Amino acid sequence: MRLPVSEHTGRPWRIHEFAPDFTTEDVWSFRMPGAGPDDFPIAVAAIAAGAGLGRETGPTKFLFAARWKLGALLGWDDARAGLGPRVRSLRDRMPEDLTATANPAPGPGPFVSLYELPDESAQELANKTVHAVAHLGWVRTPTGDHELRMAVLVKPNGRLGRLYMALIAPFRHLVVYPAMTRQWEAAWRDRERLLKQ
């Protein structure tokens, strides 16, 4: 379910400390029935095992394939356009207590881990269109359960980046996030099987 931006910006997430120049583009919630306060790592692991990048289906798979093809043709995802050569990683701004928590394993797709805490994590990517952060947080609901929240923070790269973000907005909201919701919530329900593999 799509949430107001204030549901992310109004919480004391650590990402706010070092990404004030990023715009919170999207905030989405994922239901995790029966989840407790310590289940964030389990939810993230189940999603990685059962619904991570590369497991898209139908229209979402088509959209991602088209995006990667277009990116290859236009050089959007060239290594020189990414973190390091063109864009300084947010790690350069992070306090030492957070940098020590980054997962050294490669992230899903083009993402790189920034930090992993018991109730939140963040990953970043950069290309010719944007510098972006995918933030995951664990939030207690009014029913006492916990749910996963995802916020996408972006810093567009000039006019191209702003145009790109405007063009993909309908696809994110109408196709990508609803499909992601179905996959992530199904991964939570099937977590015992997924995490035994």
Side-chain angles (χ1 to χ4, degrees):
M1 177 173 62
R2 190 174 179 193
L3 299 174
V5 166
S6 60
E7 282 294 321
H8 174 75
T9 58
R11 294 189 176 273
W13 301 121
R14 296 291 306 270
I15 192 73
H16 301 317
E17 297 172 23
F18 52 90
D21 51 337
F22 281 64
T23 301
T24 303
E25 195 71 30
D26 295 308
V27 182
W28 214 262
S29 70
F30 305 89
R31 291 179 300 273
M32 306 278 153
D38 301 323
D39 287 336
F40 177 66
I42 294 169
V44 172
I47 289 165
L53 285 177
R55 293 185 178 90
E56 302 90 8
T57 59
T60 306
K61 185 174 188 171
F62 171 79
L63 286 172
F64 274 102
R67 163 55 184 91
W68 299 132
K69 186 68 161 174
L70 192 59
L73 289 172
L74 300 175
W76 289 350
D77 304 314
D78 184 90
R80 293 177 304 235
L83 294 171
R86 185 184 71 80
V87 178
R88 289 181 58 197
S89 172
L90 283 173
R91 287 183 193 203
D92 296 344
R93 306 179 186 182
M94 287 170 45
E96 204 171 298
D97 70 307
L98 284 184
T99 56
T101 70
N103 186 340
F111 285 92
V112 175
S113 174
L114 286 171
Y115 64 90
E116 294 185 10
L117 299 174
D119 65 347
E120 70 174 297
S121 66
Q123 299 178 333
E124 73 178 328
L125 71 81
N127 55 41
K128 280 192 179 172
T129 61
V130 295
H131 185 186
V133 174
H135 178 272
L136 297 177
W138 201 236
V139 175
R140 184 184 167 110
T141 68
T143 65
D145 285 346
H146 284 69
E147 68 182 14
L148 187 64
R149 299 269 179 93
M150 179 185 69
V152 176
L153 292 75
V154 297
K155 189 194 286 189
N157 184 22
R159 184 178 298 160
L160 171 64
R162 289 188 298 276
L163 178 62
Y164 174 78
M165 291 304 296
L167 288 173
I168 68 168
F171 299 105
R172 288 193 325 265
H173 298 151
L174 299 173
V175 179
V176 175
Y177 293 145
M180 186 183 293
T181 299
R182 289 188 297 275
Q183 287 182 312
W184 287 19
E185 291 179 356
W188 169 256
R189 290 190 303 272
D190 201 22
R191 63 192 177 278
E192 289 185 20
R193 182 189 64 82
L194 289 169
L195 297 179
K196 282 181 184 172
Q197 296 178 355

